[in-house]
Amino acid sequence: MNVTDLLTKETMILELRAKTKEEVIDELAAKLAEAGAVSDVEAFKRAIWAREQQSTTGVGDGVAIPHAKTAAVKRPAVAFGRSTAGIDYESLDGQPSHLFFMIAAPEGGEQTHLQALAKLSSLLMDASFRTRLERASDEEEILRLFKEKENKREEPSLQGAPSGGRRKVLAVTACPTGIAHTYMAADALKAKAAEMGVAIKVETNGSDGVKNALTAQEIEEATAIIVAADKQVEMDRFNGKHVIQVPVAQAIRQPEKLIEQALRQDAPIYRASSTARGSAGAAKPRTGFYKHLMNGVSNMLPFVVGGGILIALSFTFGIKAFDPKDPSYHPFAKLLMDIGGGNAFALMVPFSAAFFSRS
């Protein structure tokens, strides 16, 4: 499956009306719904925003790739939007975005479309290709550019430069949905390693599973390992190795810095035990049950803090101002108490359980 199987003239907007990030998401989601790719546009947008809360999908260089994998998607599709003026999409480089690709992936079922989505992420790493997309006059030209690019493109060796006895760097990339950032980070690392003459192998933990898995022998021989991930990946296999752990976006924006750091072995030695410390004396991040538990707790905290503040504010009207039977009763105090105690606190348990389960 190619990108042009998912991107059609019916899912393109050559000049977005949107002026803000919210309006971009609304406009592109509506376009996908209009094309029949999305059955529940509100549910789809919620999934898009859930991904944005993990980390921005404004990857920089004028490109944003909002994406979601949800049951609200009837068939895989890509919506393309373009803004000549540029829109603040909270991109990693702080610059306005001009090209927007909204990826809609269905839950379960056939996974071949994920290969096309990964390919889209990789194609957009090419600066000259992005420039041609910005200058394309119509939908037909955009489709033609993608077809030409896909036909010409040769996949780079996953091993990077030949080792020739030189030190070798390994990497693992993963993002929460495993669609765009996973593969963009992998391509950024491989491209920069080839430019630097460094041997590298990158394992991707995407929606279509683990690809190009690192072997025990490769790990044993590696100079260091870069783990660029926003979700949990198998870490115990790196016991005793220098491991750099960063968000996936950092591999997209700073691949050279990470590779140089790996070559210097400027990273703590990873210990499989969650209580062990690295060689540099820095405590390693918790893993396993503790990490899952804290994922639930951290997402539950806003309700605890917000609810507590609202309850405290209700008391400023009087110790029982929220009680209709008390002479000091005030309707606004009751509203604050109802929202803080009844709603916010009530949501603590389902939210902590949901994010514990998700992790």
Side-chain angles (χ1 to χ4, degrees):
M1 183 178 286
N2 294 319
V3 173
T4 48
D5 294 325
L6 307 178
L7 177 65
T8 65
K9 290 189 290 184
E10 290 71 30
T11 58
M12 293 188 199
I13 305 174
L14 294 190
E15 190 56 51
L16 289 164
R17 296 188 302 274
K19 302 298 181 185
T20 66
K21 179 175 182 175
E22 292 79 3
E23 291 173 352
V24 169
I25 290 174
D26 288 347
E27 195 169 346
L28 291 179
K31 193 67 173 176
L32 286 169
E34 181 184 322
V38 172
S39 58
D40 187 336
V41 70
E42 293 303 321
F44 177 65
K45 287 195 292 186
R46 285 196 295 271
I48 288 286
W49 279 110
R51 175 62 188 88
E52 292 295 326
Q53 289 170 3
Q54 296 283 341
S55 63
T56 181
T57 57
V59 296
D61 297 320
V63 176
I65 313 179
H67 53 273
K69 185 179 180 184
T70 169
V73 176
K74 294 196 293 185
R75 60 175 176 82
V78 174
F80 168 67
R82 191 172 63 181
S83 171
T84 303
I87 297 169
D88 180 6
Y89 202 84
E90 302 173 351
S91 293
L92 297 172
D93 59 3
Q95 298 301 310
S97 296
H98 297 272
L99 302 176
F100 303 86
F101 294 86
M102 179 172 279
I103 300 172
E107 283 187 345
E110 179 59 50
Q111 296 292 302
T112 56
H113 66 278
L114 294 171
Q115 298 172 8
L117 303 182
K119 186 182 295 184
L120 169 64
S121 303
S122 300
L123 294 176
L124 292 173
M125 298 294 290
D126 184 338
S128 62
F129 180 62
R130 296 195 303 268
T131 299
R132 290 196 293 273
L133 290 176
E134 289 178 2
R135 296 174 179 174
S137 58
D138 54 32
E139 294 89 344
E140 290 288 353
E141 185 176 356
I142 288 171
L143 291 175
R144 179 177 57 78
L145 288 171
F146 270 105
K147 287 177 181 177
E148 290 177 354
K149 184 70 172 174
E150 288 179 317
N151 290 336
K152 289 180 182 177
R153 187 168 185 262
E154 294 181 1
E155 290 294 334
S157 168
L158 293 175
Q159 286 297 125
S163 60
R166 288 174 290 175
R167 291 180 296 173
K168 181 177 180 179
V169 175
L170 301 181
V172 179
T173 63
C175 69
T177 52
I179 295 176
H181 285 55
T182 299
Y183 303 101
M184 293 190 79
D187 274 5
L189 288 168
K190 287 187 286 186
K192 184 55 67 174
E195 182 182 312
M196 297 169 65
V198 175
I200 192 169
K201 180 178 179 181
V202 185
E203 172 187 297
T204 55
N205 285 233
S207 291
D208 54 349
V210 175
K211 300 296 182 183
N212 205 35
L214 306 179
T215 67
Q217 182 177 348
E218 288 168 337
I219 293 171
E220 179 64 28
E221 297 172 351
T223 301
I225 295 100
I226 300 168
V227 178
D230 291 334
K231 69 175 184 179
Q232 185 141 348
V233 298
E234 177 53 48
M235 293 294 295
D236 286 353
R237 54 187 166 155
F238 303 138
N239 186 46
K241 304 297 294 185
H242 292 277
V243 178
I244 302 167
Q245 298 185 63
V246 296
V248 68
Q250 192 167 331
I252 298 174
R253 302 304 309 162
Q254 300 176 316
E256 183 174 6
K257 178 181 178 181
L258 293 175
I259 293 170
E260 289 177 343
Q261 184 180 351
L263 292 175
R264 295 194 307 269
Q265 294 188 321
D266 181 16
I269 292 179
Y270 182 81
R271 301 298 181 191
S273 169
S274 62
T275 58
R277 292 176 177 268
S279 60
K284 295 303 296 175
R286 297 291 190 119
T287 58
F289 179 80
Y290 180 87
K291 183 173 181 178
H292 303 317
L293 178 62
M294 292 310 296
N295 190 59
V297 171
S298 62
N299 283 281
M300 168 264 285
L301 281 177
F303 295 96
V304 178
V305 175
I309 291 173
L310 291 174
I311 291 173
L313 288 174
S314 72
F315 281 110
T316 62
F317 291 89
I319 191 65
K320 289 188 176 182
F322 52 82
D323 185 354
K325 298 179 181 178
D326 193 270
S328 63
Y329 171 73
H330 192 289
F332 188 62
K334 185 176 188 308
L335 177 64
L336 292 174
M337 176 60 75
D338 288 345
I339 296 174
N343 296 333
F345 275 24
L347 288 171
M348 288 192 309
V349 174
F351 262 78
S352 58
F355 280 93
F356 177 86
S357 301
R358 185 178 186 276
S359 179

